[in-house]
Amino acid sequence: MSSSCSSSVAGRPAAGGTRRTGLAAGLLLAAAAAAGCFSWGIEAQLTGVLDDCLCDIESIDEFNNFKIFPKIQKLQERDYFRYYKVNLKRPCPFWADDGHCSIRDCHVEPCPESKVPVGIKAGSANKYSKIVNHTKELEDCEQANKLGAINNTLSNQSKEAFIDWARYDYSQDHFCELDDERSPDAQYVDLLLNPERYTGYKGPSAWRVWNSIYEENCFKPRSVYRPLNPLAPSKGGDDGESFYTWLEGLCLEKRVFYKLISGLHASINLHLCANYLLEETWGKPRWGPNVKEFTHRFDPMETKSEGPRRLKNLYFLYLVELRALSKVASYFERSVVDLYTGNSQEDTETKSLLLEIFRDAKSFPMHFDEKSMFAGDKKGAKSLKEEFRLHFKNISRIMDCVGCDKCRLWGKLQTQGLGTALKILFSEKEIKNLPENSPSKGFQLTRQEIVALLNAFGRLSTSIRELQNFKILLQQRS
């Protein structure tokens, strides 16, 4: 094992999840299936302490469903967080476009400019007009527009500090390929009017995207095949055990990377199962939870126990993003930061609700410890961290290869949200040194990153809430 890789904690379950012996697990699951108790199999395996952290699933369920979920849902309805600017026309950088999906539900309806709050459209340009005297400052001001979170009561000294920051190239901190918001192809989208749900987009095009993500970006040799991979050669009774043997042998950082991607994939699949087109009568669609689809994707019997493992990775991803929220709280607690839309009363209420969510996040007692990562020798750790960042940045670029516009929208937003969370977790020193009344060169978040961060976490919170709903539906069917 490389000295730059952090070893796992002794005595903790293996990274792939605690596994029963094949015979015992088979008998138990067969009995559950015979009784029609599919939920029994999921609940029996989706419990206890998660690998690579010291938190149990039951604590996350209680914390999320009763404390965080109602608040994050309200926050996502606020104007500042419902409008997201995105470029859905960027070409795929890796292969020739398969063509965009023609299914009606794949379509994204952009928001008319007249509907976007004036403060969001204006950015910060109107706040710096007095100090723009020549072309260089104008260019800096345009670059500063991306932030969209600076209080309009800045002192002259603070304004100068902000312009100074605008010249700072912080692209090295990014874990994502950000859209250029000034591009004529970038449009505002009302996320509430374009919800993430099952669109019918599937088949070779969709599989190609996820296959590229897993096979080319998750530190995996091509000789190791993921469980349930239809391209894998038949290996008899292997059932993915060789994959988890390989995964357990990785250093912590690379295991974490795989779990984050697997958790994101599981979360997206859960959203599609929970918001499925059940029927359409006279042009009126009815959306709701599809238990059959959920069972197909996650039931232990149908997935050879792979479903519960993927759901555990969803919980792991939730912990990582929750940790990021707790770490970035001090950035937003400063008086200089304002979630500006132009409606002062709404802006005050929105920030108050956001700070309440941050307080809840900080109160959670079993956070993921990011300090255990990249803790080897400095040179090796720095190299591994950069490799980690570039791999994830590449995944954010793959999202431009998704053929369904609605899937692309939510894929870009959620990868950017996770990328922002990673940026926060690995910027602890810069966040601690933030000045109270002026922007900082060392660490900044654009409005695009802020909106993605909170909406991405909102999606994870919703996934865990929907998972409880599916457990109830399955119990009712048994």
Side-chain angles (χ1 to χ4, degrees):
M1 185 181 292
S2 167
S3 60
S4 62
C5 288
S6 306
S7 61
S8 59
V9 177
R12 209 173 281 178
T18 304
R19 297 196 293 273
R20 301 177 184 273
T21 62
L23 178 61
L27 290 173
L28 286 169
L29 292 174
C37 301
F38 291 106
S39 62
W40 188 94
I42 291 176
E43 289 188 68
Q45 295 190 28
L46 198 61
T47 186
V49 178
L50 294 169
D51 303 324
D52 293 321
C53 56
L54 296 172
C55 183
D56 62 276
I57 286 173
E58 291 77 10
S59 296
I60 298 173
D61 283 338
E62 184 175 353
F63 174 79
N64 179 74
N65 297 339
F66 297 104
K67 201 166 190 177
I68 285 285
F69 175 72
K71 294 175 185 176
I72 197 76
Q73 201 172 36
K74 287 182 181 177
L75 187 75
Q76 290 174 283
E77 295 171 356
R78 311 296 296 191
D79 281 354
Y80 187 89
F81 290 99
R82 69 183 289 181
Y83 297 103
Y84 179 62
K85 198 166 191 180
V86 62
N87 183 355
L88 298 175
K89 297 180 180 179
R90 285 178 61 166
C92 173
F94 300 108
W95 57 77
D97 277 338
D98 297 322
H100 281 273
C101 176
S102 59
I103 301 172
R104 181 190 61 188
D105 293 317
C106 286
H107 175 67
V108 169
E109 189 63 43
C111 191
E113 286 284 324
S114 60
K115 297 287 186 181
V116 181
V118 62
I120 293 176
K121 283 189 294 186
S124 304
N126 60 321
K127 302 168 191 176
Y128 300 96
S129 57
K130 292 181 181 178
I131 57 171
V132 176
N133 296 315
H134 52 76
T135 305
K136 175 60 181 169
E137 287 186 347
L138 179 60
E139 290 173 356
D140 289 336
C141 193
E142 288 175 351
Q143 189 174 357
N145 286 351
K146 295 182 181 179
L147 184 62
I150 297 297
N151 194 305
N152 60 356
T153 58
L154 293 175
S155 64
N156 286 333
Q157 183 180 5
S158 295
K159 290 175 183 175
E160 289 170 8
F162 182 82
I163 294 300
D164 186 37
W165 166 79
R167 297 189 181 105
Y168 170 69
D169 178 14
Y170 62 104
S171 61
Q172 291 185 346
D173 299 331
H174 284 151
F175 281 75
C176 280
E177 185 83 15
L178 301 181
D179 284 344
D180 181 359
E181 295 186 65
R182 294 168 296 181
S183 166
D185 289 330
Q187 294 178 299
Y188 284 103
V189 173
D190 185 338
L191 298 174
L192 297 183
L193 297 182
N194 293 274
E196 184 181 23
R197 57 193 179 193
Y198 184 77
T199 64
Y201 174 66
K202 56 184 179 180
S205 177
W207 173 249
R208 189 179 193 180
V209 170
W210 283 110
N211 200 55
S212 177
I213 289 172
Y214 283 113
E215 298 301 318
E216 299 169 21
N217 295 280
C218 284
F219 303 97
K220 188 181 72 60
R222 290 192 178 275
S223 59
V224 176
Y225 291 91
R226 290 177 292 118
L228 307 183
N229 182 347
L231 302 182
S234 175
K235 292 194 175 182
D238 182 271
D239 287 346
E241 294 302 309
S242 60
F243 172 82
Y244 285 103
T245 299
W246 164 79
L247 188 64
E248 289 159 16
L250 289 181
C251 62
L252 172 65
E253 293 82 359
K254 293 181 180 180
R255 282 204 310 273
V256 165
F257 192 96
Y258 170 78
K259 287 183 178 184
L260 295 179
I261 301 307
S262 174
L264 177 62
H265 196 181
S267 181
I268 290 173
N269 280 336
L270 246 175
H271 303 155
L272 306 187
C273 296
N275 211 353
Y276 200 96
L277 181 59
L278 300 176
E279 63 177 2
E280 187 167 7
T281 307
W282 301 104
K284 292 183 179 180
R286 184 171 69 87
W287 303 86
N290 187 321
V291 177
K292 185 178 180 181
E293 186 69 22
F294 174 83
T295 301
H296 172 67
R297 292 176 186 260
F298 295 110
D299 181 75
M301 285 294 292
E302 294 208 21
T303 64
K304 299 180 181 178
S305 294
E306 182 64 15
R309 284 172 177 159
R310 293 173 177 177
L311 291 174
K312 282 187 176 182
N313 291 336
L314 158 63
Y315 280 91
F316 183 82
L317 172 58
Y318 178 93
L319 281 181
V320 169
E321 293 201 15
L322 180 68
R323 178 62 167 168
L325 295 189
S326 72
K327 301 289 281 189
V328 82
S330 59
Y331 174 89
F332 290 93
E333 287 166 354
R334 299 176 302 153
S335 59
V336 72
V337 175
D338 182 20
L339 306 179
Y340 185 69
T341 67
N343 182 331
S344 59
Q345 181 177 345
E346 166 141 337
D347 295 348
T348 300
E349 292 172 356
T350 301
K351 184 172 182 180
S352 176
L353 179 57
L354 180 63
L355 294 181
E356 193 176 337
I357 291 171
F358 287 145
R359 284 193 294 272
D360 287 341
K362 288 195 289 186
S363 74
F364 187 71
M366 292 173 281
H367 275 295
F368 171 74
D369 182 12
E370 74 284 355
K371 291 180 182 177
S372 60
M373 296 177 63
F374 309 110
D377 69 277
K378 287 187 177 180
K379 185 177 180 181
K382 184 177 180 181
S383 174
L384 181 61
K385 182 179 176 181
E386 179 63 7
E387 191 179 5
F388 191 101
R389 186 184 72 85
L390 292 176
H391 274 239
F392 193 85
K393 193 168 186 177
N394 209 44
I395 289 174
S396 74
R397 298 176 69 206
I398 293 174
M399 289 299 149
D400 283 318
C401 301
V402 177
C404 161
D405 277 352
K406 190 165 287 182
C407 306
R408 182 184 291 207
L409 164 67
W410 286 101
K412 285 168 76 82
L413 181 143
Q414 289 172 88
T415 51
Q416 186 181 4
L418 175 53
T420 304
L422 294 172
K423 171 182 169 179
I424 291 165
L425 291 179
F426 302 130
S427 302
E428 181 178 22
K429 189 179 295 183
E430 292 81 359
I431 294 174
K432 278 185 177 178
N433 295 327
L434 287 171
E436 171 60 32
N437 295 312
S438 65
S440 164
K441 282 187 183 182
F443 180 84
Q444 285 291 348
L445 293 176
T446 66
R447 179 183 174 275
Q448 193 181 18
E449 288 175 305
I450 295 169
V451 173
L453 174 69
L454 272 301
N455 273 285
F457 180 73
R459 293 276 73 207
L460 297 178
S461 179
T462 300
S463 288
I464 289 176
R465 182 69 183 85
E466 292 291 0
L467 183 54
Q468 304 313 305
N469 290 341
F470 275 114
K471 287 180 181 178
I472 293 170
L473 290 171
L474 285 163
Q475 287 168 354
Q476 290 172 350
R477 282 181 44 165
S478 64

